[in-house]
Amino acid sequence: MSAHGQLTRRLPQLYVGLALYGVSSALLVRSGLGLEPWNVLHQGLSERTGLSMGVVLTLVGAAILLLWIPLRQRPGLGTVSNVLVIGAAMDATLALTPDARTWAARIALMVVGIVLNGAATGLYIAARFGPGPRDGLMTGLNRVTGLSIRVVRTGIELTVVATGFVLGGTVGVGTLLYAVSIGPLAQLFLRVFAVPSASGSTVVATGPSERAILPG
């Protein structure tokens, strides 16, 4: 694939992936069965401030980017787009999707939300336009502290889940199912959506099971 052909594919893939990430997060909210770790925090902050979850997600993402400065992380197009697109897509989906009222509907929304989240993660990471703000925070702390990605990720997730729960965020079976399934799902979809390089080989982001679990 030529460089122009790569870009023609990678740009739409980035934005479709980010938009679907916001959609998937909104579906998990409407299921009422538990959110992914960072959105537990975003929901808790939304409950306390009265701002929409999408706006909170955007503001938190922008604040995290400030932490990149001492960590000497460099944002890319995907980083900035992550901050702007996911929250907008999430709020739009929440506005159009009512809360599920039956157990069957709630479970369906949870399962679809988690699988779609994995696909969205594979799409935007495989596009290779730079990590999301939360991913960059994780990798930056990994480099500065010398701790493994797994330890840093776990510490961040436990912190945001605990804080979000105290603030009123929803923790449930969906949170647990997301935690155990998003790594394998991201690994699968990273391979499905890998962009062939100019030489014809397939490029797949490294370490998907450890790096792709955070939302952007």
Side-chain angles (χ1 to χ4, degrees):
M1 182 180 290
S2 67
H4 175 74
Q6 273 196 318
L7 189 62
T8 302
R9 171 173 169 176
R10 288 168 60 212
L11 272 174
Q13 183 167 317
L14 169 68
Y15 289 107
V16 169
L18 293 175
L20 289 180
Y21 200 105
V23 172
S24 69
S25 294
L27 295 181
L28 288 171
V29 172
R30 291 306 187 212
S31 78
L33 294 175
L35 304 176
E36 60 266 54
W38 276 97
N39 275 332
V40 176
L41 176 62
H42 298 148
Q43 188 181 52
L45 289 171
S46 175
E47 293 287 336
R48 296 287 178 162
T49 63
L51 298 173
S52 71
M53 278 190 69
V55 169
V56 169
L57 185 152
T58 300
L59 292 176
V60 170
I64 291 172
L65 281 183
L66 296 178
L67 298 177
W68 280 35
I69 297 173
L71 294 175
R72 298 181 180 178
Q73 294 284 92
R74 294 182 179 180
L77 174 64
T79 310
V80 177
S81 299
N82 185 294
V83 173
L84 299 176
V85 174
I86 293 179
M90 185 179 188
D91 273 350
T93 306
L94 287 172
L96 296 172
T97 310
D99 289 327
R101 299 191 180 277
T102 67
W103 275 104
R106 295 175 71 186
I107 292 171
L109 284 178
M110 177 187 69
V111 172
V112 171
I114 291 173
V115 174
L116 184 60
N117 192 280
T121 299
L123 275 166
Y124 87 78
I125 291 181
R128 305 192 322 275
F129 280 105
R134 296 156 188 82
D135 295 317
L137 174 64
M138 177 178 61
T139 54
L141 288 173
N142 158 250
R143 190 185 72 252
V144 170
T145 65
L147 297 172
S148 70
I149 285 286
R150 188 174 299 277
V151 169
V152 172
R153 185 191 72 197
T154 301
I156 291 174
E157 289 184 348
L158 289 175
T159 300
V160 298
V161 167
T163 304
F165 179 72
V166 170
L167 292 174
T170 304
V171 177
V173 65
T175 310
L176 178 60
L177 185 59
Y178 180 92
V180 300
S181 64
I182 192 61
L185 285 170
Q187 174 102 26
L188 169 65
F189 285 111
L190 275 166
R191 296 189 180 280
V192 170
F193 298 120
V195 179
S197 67
S199 63
S201 62
T202 300
V203 178
V204 180
T206 58
S209 62
E210 291 200 347
R211 298 186 184 214
I213 198 166
L214 289 179

